[in-house]
Amino acid sequence: MITTTGTAHAETARMDFREIVRRLNASLGAAMVSALAGAKDPKASYRWQKEDGSVPSDAFQARILLAHRAWRMVSDVDGDQVARQWFLGANPWLDEMSPVEAIHQDRFKAVIDAAEAMASGGFNG
């Protein structure tokens, strides 16, 4: 199934935030999810996924929601292993920065553009 930008956004908007964190933790690991959100504690996202756990700041939540959208776009086309490598690796669409770093720096549009490029197999600059 190919997830477009709009579809990924709609799916993410309809999901419970804690479920999004659980899925990202399972796919990327808690340390990576915590880092992309901006948390200093690598285990913070474990607390965010619990029903009675703490709630991250709005900025952290925005980064996690964006990460989920990008994850869906890439993993639906190329699978979970490729999506994980995509999140970690230097990315030509992000000036050789990893998507994790770019999300942490709030480069949301660039990350979504990079995910679209990866999913479609195209590079426009």
Side-chain angles (χ1 to χ4, degrees):
M1 174 174 114
I2 296 175
T3 301
T4 64
T5 305
T7 302
H9 174 74
E11 289 173 359
T12 299
R14 290 183 177 111
M15 286 181 70
D16 176 70
F17 178 77
R18 295 187 191 283
E19 179 61 23
I20 289 169
V21 175
R22 278 191 285 278
R23 289 183 184 196
L24 287 175
N25 281 345
S27 300
L28 296 172
M32 192 181 316
V33 174
S34 297
L36 69 81
K40 293 182 181 183
D41 178 358
K43 296 181 181 180
S45 66
Y46 283 133
R47 291 188 299 278
W48 302 335
Q49 75 179 9
K50 294 179 182 177
E51 292 304 320
D52 61 345
S54 60
V55 177
S57 70
D58 289 347
F60 286 12
Q61 287 185 49
R63 292 178 189 127
I64 288 169
L65 295 174
L66 184 278
H68 183 262
R69 289 174 51 202
W71 173 265
R72 287 300 314 267
M73 293 169 69
V74 176
S75 69
D76 280 359
V77 173
D78 291 309
D80 289 354
Q81 183 60 35
V82 170
R84 182 173 168 69
Q85 291 172 344
W86 181 85
F87 264 84
L88 286 171
N91 191 303
W93 298 294
L94 298 169
D95 300 320
E96 300 307 328
M97 177 181 288
S98 75
V100 169
E101 293 172 294
I103 292 168
H104 180 77
Q105 294 180 4
D106 296 335
R107 295 182 57 203
F108 292 175
K109 181 171 179 356
V111 171
I112 291 300
D113 289 348
E116 282 180 344
M118 180 69 179
S120 70
F123 178 64
N124 296 324

